[in-house]
Amino acid sequence: TLPQHVGLVVEINSTGGLICVEGNTSSKNQANGGQVEKKPRAPMFVTSYGRPNYTSSKGTPKEKEVL
């Protein structure tokens, strides 16, 4: 199955579910809703991911090991 959407993972909850920020979505039409929203997603639907190579330099975001 080809991916149908792209989102940014902003949280991993206590059960391992993902909270993503996604564009062009809504509660009524997830495929083409014209809004930016937080959406819960099951990890089983993730087909690929990228992860920035954060450094430990002062002022950069702290990296959390999630996978």
Side-chain angles (χ1 to χ4, degrees):
T1 304
L2 294 174
Q4 296 179 357
H5 212 76
V6 174
L8 301 172
V9 176
V10 295
E11 182 182 336
I12 298 175
N13 64 31
S14 61
T15 62
L18 308 173
I19 305 299
C20 301
V21 172
E22 300 179 0
N24 202 23
T25 188
S26 75
S27 59
K28 295 178 181 166
N29 184 347
Q30 292 192 36
N32 189 12
Q35 297 178 0
V36 176
E37 295 188 358
K38 281 187 176 179
K39 295 284 188 176
R41 299 290 183 209
M44 65 187 275
F45 296 113
V46 175
T47 60
S48 60
Y49 67 92
R51 183 175 180 182
N53 185 18
Y54 292 121
T55 65
S56 59
S57 300
K58 191 173 182 177
T60 59
K62 287 186 177 182
E63 181 179 29
K64 291 183 179 181
E65 189 62 42
V66 296
L67 297 173

